[in-house]
Amino acid sequence: MKKMKKLFAVMLSLAMVLGMSMTAFATEPEEGAGSSKPQQTATITVKELNEGSKVTYKKIVELDPAGRWKWVDGYNDDTFGMTLEQIKKAVEAGGANADAAAGAINPNLSAMNFEGFTTDAATEQTAGADRRVAFEVGGAGLYVIQAADTTNEYKYNNMIAYVGYSEGILQNAEVTAKGESVKIEKDIVNKGDGDNDKTVAAGDEVEYQVTAKYPYFEKDETKSFQIKDTITKGGTLKTGTVTVKIKDGETETDITNNGFLVVENEGLTGFVANLDAGKYNSEYAGKDLVITYTVVIDEDAQGTIENVAESTGSNGSGSKHEVIIPTTSAEITKTNTDGSKPLTGAEFTLYTEVVDGEDVTGVSGIEVVNGKSLKPVAGYVNVAVGEDGKVKFDGLDIQKTYWIKETKAPEGYAIDEEYRKLVFEGEGLVEKGTTEDKTTDENGVVHITTKTEYEIEGAYAQIEGFNDGLNFHDSELSSLPSTGGIGTTIFTIGGCLIMIIAAALFFISRRKSEK
């Protein structure tokens, strides 16, 4: 019996050992259903999208762990116009994801034809404020990414993302969205006397900036892109000031006449900047193309300063952006003493204070008033008021101090001998707003017309010393009063008669005495 117990104990121990070792000999379950091992994934990040852009993807080529390529979903060497081997070499030559967009960004992929191909709508993501999306994908291979700008301001190129293996681990991919913007932007970067100037005045220099995207072209596409700017009112181009640069972050590359050819218009009414097709650089595609130039405001500028920039691409795309800036003016009215009646026949001269260090060599008509040197403003010397008694001074700079002096009074009125200061109340030049209009031509190309308008907040509201708005008063000349009587005449005549009678009596009395 004891032997049997020992035998059972040995058998039980053996069973326990065998039971514990069963899992060691079991077959490892395959990945997928019923597997406790998570499926390995990679992340494809698409960056530098416009906020709100819709992005989708679809896998077209898969790789096995050994690095062998094969088509998926029934695609073949004829689907995209390039064989699998050609695409493989193009991706490897382009540095995998370094040049992800098909076409000029990666010239070796320029032959790929995506006509009729669409990605999977179920994968759609929307770019946020960070201008990027991230897809989690399973398996190595090639993924086609398509993006659509919901504002219709940007046309994206198809992108190829490569997800590879490294030591059995899937590698993340990061690609940069590339394409061509159809929108051009224009603004003032320096106005008048400096960045903080509150007006655009006669003789000022205003620096404008035009921004567009450096164009993207397919390999054999005609490389044509033009930006032109026309000054339609109030100023002329300052010769030699047009510069064309590529801006990439903090890096700027000047390509004036070395990538873009600049021609100034006859009469300096603007310029044309054309892409030099022979020096097209695909590395710049999608980067900011920045053009700056200076406009000199006319000495007789009045009303508004207007000019418009326009871009034109090889496919007919393009946009316009017009900027309208008002000048500042003061209109005074010549009136009688109480302001009840406008007067004509008066003349005025407008002066401005000479600032320290200002060169006034050769300037005539300078007056010194209360320790201040005043110089006459060109074009506004002895200006006659109109039949309505009004005279208008245009192109004023509210950061300067202006004085007016009456140089001729209306007939029958006394001239005002004082130099009187014009007083401005308000902030000056501010941006009124920007409007935008989009149209699509018969070819489906979007055209954007933008207009930015500025306005003058405030106005010249007083003439110092009168406190009656911009009414300039004169008083009538006075004359000696008359009573209508004979005055002292009768006394003069009476006195003369008395003197004559006295003289006569004197001579009569003397004659009698002699007798």
Side-chain angles (χ1 to χ4, degrees):
M1 188 68 181
K2 291 183 178 179
K3 289 183 179 180
M4 289 296 294
K5 288 182 178 179
K6 289 181 179 180
L7 179 61
F8 279 123
V10 171
M11 291 177 65
L12 182 59
S13 299
L14 181 61
M16 290 176 64
V17 170
L18 289 173
M20 293 176 64
S21 62
M22 285 289 287
T23 55
F25 295 101
T27 302
E28 183 176 351
E30 294 182 359
E31 294 178 1
S35 173
S36 60
K37 184 177 180 180
Q39 174 69 37
Q40 188 184 31
T41 60
T43 300
I44 300 176
T45 302
V46 185
K47 61 181 184 178
E48 295 190 22
L49 295 155
N50 281 352
E51 184 177 355
S53 294
K54 306 294 184 181
V55 189
T56 55
Y57 75 89
K58 193 171 188 180
K59 190 175 185 180
I60 62 170
V61 173
E62 62 183 7
L63 284 73
D64 63 21
R68 291 185 292 266
W69 290 42
K70 67 177 182 179
W71 292 108
V72 298
D73 290 343
Y75 301 129
N76 55 50
D77 285 0
D78 296 326
T79 305
F80 298 99
M82 291 180 69
T83 67
L84 187 62
E85 186 62 25
Q86 288 172 328
I87 294 175
K88 180 176 182 294
K89 289 181 179 179
V91 171
E92 292 172 347
N97 295 305
D99 296 317
I105 308 300
N106 186 341
N108 295 309
L109 289 173
S110 61
M112 285 194 75
N113 178 14
F114 293 93
E115 186 176 356
F117 175 80
T118 57
T119 47
D120 186 357
T123 66
E124 182 179 279
Q125 288 194 35
T126 302
D130 61 354
R131 302 177 58 202
R132 59 174 58 204
V133 299
F135 298 107
E136 189 173 291
V137 299
L142 289 187
Y143 295 79
V144 175
I145 299 170
Q146 293 179 329
D149 184 10
T150 53
T151 66
N152 288 326
E153 295 176 4
Y154 201 80
K155 176 188 175 184
Y156 293 107
N157 305 316
N158 290 295
M159 291 163 272
I160 300 289
Y162 173 79
V163 175
Y165 281 109
S166 177
E167 299 179 356
I169 299 175
L170 286 178
Q171 300 298 296
N172 295 330
E174 186 177 83
V175 298
T176 301
K178 300 290 184 180
E180 178 178 313
S181 172
V182 300
K183 186 176 182 180
I184 190 172
E185 296 182 349
K186 178 176 181 176
D187 203 357
I188 308 170
V189 293
N190 186 1
K191 49 187 180 294
D193 299 328
D195 293 334
N196 297 317
D197 198 13
K198 295 182 179 180
T199 47
V200 171
D204 278 351
E205 294 185 356
V206 180
E207 185 178 359
Y208 289 86
Q209 177 175 287
V210 176
T211 304
K213 292 294 183 182
Y214 191 92
Y216 160 80
F217 295 108
E218 299 288 349
K219 184 176 181 181
D220 298 321
E221 186 178 355
T222 300
K223 297 174 178 60
S224 173
F225 186 70
Q226 179 188 87
I227 292 178
K228 66 178 181 179
D229 191 279
T230 305
I231 305 165
T232 56
K233 184 180 179 183
T236 56
L237 177 68
K238 185 176 182 179
T239 186
T241 61
V242 182
T243 62
V244 185
K245 295 182 179 179
I246 296 295
K247 188 172 183 180
D248 185 11
E250 297 299 320
T251 304
E252 292 185 347
T253 305
D254 194 331
I255 58 172
T256 310
N257 295 323
N258 187 26
F260 262 81
L261 305 177
V262 176
V263 178
E264 297 174 351
N265 296 352
E266 184 177 354
L268 299 177
T269 59
F271 65 89
V272 176
N274 279 302
L275 172 69
D276 185 349
K279 293 185 177 181
Y280 175 76
N281 190 337
S282 63
E283 294 182 3
Y284 296 153
K287 292 182 170 58
D288 284 340
L289 179 68
V290 180
I291 301 179
T292 57
Y293 61 97
T294 300
V295 172
V296 180
I297 306 305
D298 294 342
E299 290 291 347
D300 58 352
Q302 54 182 292
T304 55
I305 313 300
E306 302 176 13
N307 59 357
V308 59
E310 182 176 1
S311 66
T312 306
S314 59
N315 65 343
S317 64
S319 70
K320 297 180 180 180
H321 194 149
E322 183 178 17
V323 175
I324 301 176
I325 312 169
T327 57
T328 309
S329 63
E331 184 177 66
I332 69 171
T333 303
K334 181 66 177 177
T335 70
N336 58 354
T337 305
D338 62 6
S340 62
K341 182 175 68 173
L343 303 175
T344 187
E347 293 182 359
F348 291 92
T349 293
L350 182 70
Y351 294 85
T352 185
E353 287 186 15
V354 178
V355 298
D356 292 341
E358 183 178 358
D359 184 8
V360 292
T361 304
V363 178
S364 60
I366 293 180
E367 303 285 347
V368 178
V369 180
N370 296 329
K372 299 181 178 67
S373 294
L374 309 181
K375 67 174 184 178
V377 177
Y380 291 129
V381 177
N382 298 329
V383 182
V385 301
E387 292 296 325
D388 56 359
K390 297 181 183 294
V391 59
K392 188 176 182 181
F393 303 113
D394 287 301
L396 304 187
D397 185 342
I398 68 172
Q399 290 176 292
K400 295 180 180 179
T401 303
Y402 290 96
W403 302 76
I404 53 174
K405 174 68 172 65
E406 186 176 26
T407 56
K408 180 182 177 182
E411 185 176 352
Y413 287 83
I415 193 167
D416 188 280
E417 298 291 349
E418 297 292 328
Y419 289 80
R420 299 190 179 274
K421 185 163 62 175
L422 292 176
V423 180
F424 186 90
E425 297 176 358
E427 290 298 317
L429 189 67
V430 295
E431 186 172 336
K432 180 179 179 180
T434 298
T435 58
E436 189 174 281
D437 180 49
K438 295 180 183 178
T439 58
T440 304
D441 63 21
E442 64 276 8
N443 298 316
V445 178
V446 176
H447 298 268
I448 303 172
T449 300
T450 307
K451 179 185 291 186
T452 299
E453 294 185 83
Y454 288 79
E455 64 182 353
I456 302 297
E457 195 284 309
Y460 283 97
Q462 294 289 334
I463 299 175
E464 195 173 76
F466 290 132
N467 298 319
D468 184 23
L470 294 183
N471 286 332
F472 195 108
H473 303 297
D474 268 358
S475 59
E476 293 185 71
L477 291 171
S478 59
S479 58
L480 293 174
S482 176
T483 64
I486 61 175
T488 61
T489 305
I490 190 170
F491 299 104
T492 302
I493 296 172
C496 291
L497 287 174
I498 292 172
M499 291 174 65
I500 293 170
I501 293 171
L505 290 174
F506 172 77
F507 286 112
I508 293 171
S509 176
R510 184 176 179 183
R511 187 174 295 175
K512 287 181 177 181
S513 298
E514 290 177 350
K515 292 181 177 180

